[in-house]
Amino acid sequence: MSLVQRILLWAFLASLAGSMVLAFADPSWLAIPAMLVAWYLADLLSGVIHMYMDYRPCRPGMGLDTIFFYEGSRESEEYQGLFRERMRRLNPFERISYDFKNHHPRPDALGRRQLWRLIGSTVIAGALPISLLGNGAALIWPIPGWFMAGFATFLVGGAFAQYFHGTLHRRDNPWFIRGMRKLGLLMSPEAHQIHHDTLKRDFATNSGWSNPLVNRLFRFLRSQGHLPDANLEPSS
């Protein structure tokens, strides 16, 4: 992780801590339902984004099919060179989309990604500026503490959604991930496997609470001719 990336990550964590301080400064029992609703909304966001990224077509002419269908060792210098060259052609959003598609046939690949690779684009494009704006608004206007508690919870669930997704594809995880799974706040790898078995349901990657709603949305969009299977893999 570069120095700039570390600064951005710590800036987000500091801003997130500020939201939590503002929540504790005005305690209320409403914080509990607000946090549960926020966690559901973050899960819903993870599912909708996952569905979109899975079925978003890759930009043609980028040569992504060469690395997607590469048959040799992915540890080889040839593949690593091809991968770096192809990734340089893509913008950060396209790299995320490719990662979603690539992890279907190779699910463990996502679990090997470094933290910043998983959450960097989300922090820069969304979580950090939203967090700063929310904290600034709370310092200017009398925003209740229960709202800030939900706000901080949503930021955690949204910013770290792809990190939580990655933990579903590796065995060695921190203690807090195991604890959150026991509490039902994060889904189990077995529950997520249903998505990989079908690629047509259960797109949420945090708790999975929103999967019934996301599944209905997916079926509706498919019935309207959207989300074709051809988009699950990159073309030439």
Side-chain angles (χ1 to χ4, degrees):
M1 189 184 298
S2 70
L3 177 60
V4 172
Q5 292 169 344
R6 289 179 185 276
I7 292 173
L8 289 170
L9 178 59
W10 281 107
F12 170 64
L13 294 177
S15 183
L16 181 62
S19 299
M20 295 177 179
V21 168
L22 290 169
F24 283 115
D26 181 27
S28 169
W29 68 269
L30 289 173
I32 296 176
M35 292 170 70
L36 291 174
V37 170
W39 198 246
Y40 176 90
L41 293 176
D43 184 65
L44 177 62
L45 182 65
S46 80
V48 172
I49 291 176
H50 189 178
M51 178 176 63
Y52 173 72
M53 291 295 187
D54 278 1
Y55 285 88
R56 179 184 183 274
C58 292
R59 183 154 46 112
M62 295 294 101
L64 296 178
D65 58 323
T66 305
I67 56 175
F68 187 88
F69 297 107
Y70 189 84
E71 295 183 352
S73 170
R74 291 174 181 262
E75 303 299 324
S76 66
E77 291 185 8
E78 179 186 44
Y79 172 79
Q80 293 296 323
L82 280 171
F83 180 83
R84 288 191 294 270
E85 191 274 332
R86 297 298 190 269
M87 289 299 106
R88 281 195 293 268
R89 301 180 181 184
L90 307 179
N91 61 48
F93 189 79
E94 290 173 322
R95 290 186 200 126
I96 295 173
S97 181
Y98 178 79
D99 270 352
F100 273 97
K101 300 179 194 304
N102 183 61
H103 101 279
H104 287 151
R106 290 166 288 274
D108 290 346
L110 194 68
R112 293 192 294 268
R113 297 279 189 256
Q114 296 297 317
L115 176 65
W116 187 255
R117 173 70 184 276
L118 293 170
I119 72 169
S121 297
T122 304
V123 168
I124 294 172
L128 178 56
I130 291 173
S131 179
L132 292 173
L133 286 172
N135 288 346
L139 293 173
I140 297 172
W141 295 290
I143 297 177
W146 62 264
F147 182 90
M148 294 306 297
F151 179 70
T153 301
F154 180 78
L155 285 174
V156 171
F160 290 93
Q162 193 67 336
Y163 169 75
F164 295 143
H165 188 183
T167 65
L168 293 166
H169 296 292
R170 61 170 175 260
R171 294 182 179 180
D172 185 19
N173 285 302
W175 62 269
F176 62 86
I177 295 294
R178 298 191 297 271
M180 292 175 74
R181 285 180 184 170
K182 289 181 179 179
L183 292 173
L185 296 173
L186 292 178
M187 67 195 309
S188 67
E190 293 76 20
H192 182 57
Q193 185 60 39
I194 297 173
H195 169 71
H196 282 266
D197 291 341
T198 65
L199 301 184
K200 293 178 173 64
R201 56 172 294 184
D202 293 5
F203 293 89
T205 56
N206 286 11
S207 63
W209 296 351
S210 68
N211 272 328
L213 178 58
V214 178
N215 290 344
R216 284 194 288 272
L217 175 62
F218 176 80
R219 290 193 295 268
F220 170 77
L221 292 173
R222 290 277 283 196
S223 71
Q224 300 301 306
H226 303 297
L227 310 180
D229 289 344
N231 289 351
L232 287 168
E233 297 177 347
S235 58
S236 59

